[in-house]
Amino acid sequence: MCEEKKIDRRGMLKLLAVAGFGSLAGPVVAGPGIGAMVPGKGWVKASGEQCQGDGTPLQFIPKTALDGNPLENELEKYPACPYCGMNRTQWNHSRHLVQYDDDLVDGTCSIHCLAISLSLNLDRGPKAIYAADFGAAGKVKPLVKVDEATYLIGSRLKGTMTANSKMAFASAEAAKAAQAEQGGELGSFDEGLKAAYLGMAQDTMMIRKRRAEKVKKMQMMKMKKSSG
């Protein structure tokens, strides 16, 4: 299956060391036989099969159909974040969506994963970027254009894929009210995106550690089940 990418651990460790992120390499894999997280499929084993479009950054290009109206049935069309696999309905309060100028669309769980998408698609210009209105009522937050939103950055609100929360509000007054209660700084989308990039190394270390712990737990459960 094309989703099951070959994992070259030694090559990855060398790249991380050269880039100065040696500490990221430690918890990459808790043991053999796990593979990687694939959105919509969970953990899959690496098959080593060569797939069309392999190679960075080509394998990260959005592979969905062209979509001129991405907000219509948005959560049905883009149910999982393509970069971390998180359910976008469950994390709807922090989700983002970018429509590139060729009508390819990336729906992410957060501004953290949106930053990844924008980095990997440098030759695509964003036609529109949307964020969930954290201050809206209702179980599922509506999307608003990010250039019309106010971001609350670094508050006590729980962040998604980051320790440094960055939530969008359609209403500047709602953002100020949340700031009065939760702290943080108010800013624009560009300031929120900059904070996401500046925190990427720390957030990546945190995420990799958590996923390594999850993999270790899965392996222990598998061993107990096989021995029992």
Side-chain angles (χ1 to χ4, degrees), residues 6-40:
K6 183 177 181 180
I7 299 175
D8 184 351
R9 175 171 165 77
R10 287 178 297 180
M12 180 60 73
L13 295 182
K14 290 179 181 178
L15 287 173
L16 290 171
V18 171
F21 292 103
S23 60
L24 295 180
V28 169
V29 177
I34 294 296
M37 171 67 75
V38 175

Side-chain angles (χ1 to χ4, degrees), residues 34-151:
I34 294 296
M37 171 67 75
V38 175
K41 293 182 177 295
W43 292 96
V44 297
K45 293 182 180 179
S47 67
E49 179 184 351
Q50 187 72 23
C51 301
Q52 184 178 5
D54 275 359
T56 304
L58 291 181
Q59 77 265 33
F60 297 110
I61 289 177
K63 294 181 179 180
T64 54
L66 298 182
D67 189 352
N69 189 14
L71 300 189
E72 182 179 359
N73 300 321
E74 169 244 343
L75 287 172
E76 294 179 15
K77 290 185 293 187
Y78 310 104
C81 178
Y83 301 104
C84 68
M86 291 174 63
N87 185 300
R88 295 182 69 245
T89 298
Q90 182 178 352
W91 300 95
N92 74 86
H93 59 279
S94 61
R95 78 190 189 283
H96 281 64
L97 182 143
V98 54
Q99 180 186 22
Y100 289 104
D101 50 16
D102 57 3
D103 279 343
L104 281 174
V105 174
D106 239 354
T108 68
C109 68
S110 60
I111 194 172
H112 171 97
C113 288
L114 172 71
I116 295 173
S117 177
L118 293 173
S119 295
L120 294 171
N121 291 281
L122 287 175
D123 291 325
R124 283 191 168 89
K127 181 187 293 186
I129 303 178
Y130 302 91
D133 176 10
F134 188 85
K139 186 175 181 180
V140 176
K141 308 300 184 183
L143 293 178
V144 297
K145 288 188 175 181
V146 294
D147 55 4
E148 300 173 359
T150 299
Y151 278 74

Side-chain angles (χ1 to χ4, degrees), residues 149-162:
T150 299
Y151 278 74
L152 181 57
I153 304 166
S155 73
R156 290 185 291 274
L157 293 172
K158 185 177 180 180
T160 302
M161 299 293 286
T162 179

